[in-house]
Amino acid sequence: MEQPVRCPCGSGDVFDGCCGPLLAGAPAPTAERLMRSRYTAFARGDARHLRATWHPSTRPAALDLDPALEWRRLVVLDREGGGPFDTEGIVEFEAFWREGGARGSLRERSRFVREDRRWLYVDGELR
């Protein structure tokens, strides 16, 4: 019997019960859930999900994901708003990576908006 796969976002849930449905197109209920699904998309190389959840006003024309960059762990540090009844939210996180022998982290304070009942990533400020 195949063992369930843990979600890369670090929620502790299995992928199919966490970010899997969001990567398949289901709307995220909160800004944090969207941010976690975007981390998972980076970890899995899913550029389609990243583009689909990026606000059109800031979405890049192309995404070039580095397959050698391995996203290892996500820690949510802070959140403001971003709930099911909000229209704006901020999520601050630190994402840890490895590439070859190098290791590091990226810390970002991300802005999200909810339009037509869907959360979208607007932009982020690196910390």
Side-chain angles (χ1 to χ4, degrees), residues 31-33 35-36 74-82 89-94 107-112 127:
E32 180 181 339
R33 285 287 307 277
M35 187 277 306
R36 286 180 175 280
L74 174 69
V75 177
V76 175
L77 303 168
D78 191 23
R79 61 188 79 60
E80 296 175 21
I90 294 174
V91 180
E92 187 171 341
F93 66 90
E94 187 166 8
R107 185 170 174 171
E108 182 178 299
R109 190 165 174 83
S110 301
R111 287 189 319 129
F112 298 87
R127 299 289 182 141

Side-chain angles (χ1 to χ4, degrees), residues 25-82:
T30 66
E32 180 181 339
R33 285 287 307 277
L34 179 63
M35 187 277 306
R36 286 180 175 280
S37 77
R38 288 177 55 83
Y39 170 84
T40 296
F42 274 107
R44 295 173 62 102
D46 188 341
R48 183 205 53 77
H49 178 70
L50 294 167
R51 289 190 48 74
T53 58
W54 211 311
H55 195 274
S57 68
T58 57
R59 182 187 306 136
L63 275 177
D64 186 23
L65 301 179
D66 182 355
L69 186 65
E70 182 183 355
W71 293 101
R72 307 284 294 168
R73 185 167 54 99
L74 174 69
V75 177
V76 175
L77 303 168
D78 191 23
R79 61 188 79 60
E80 296 175 21

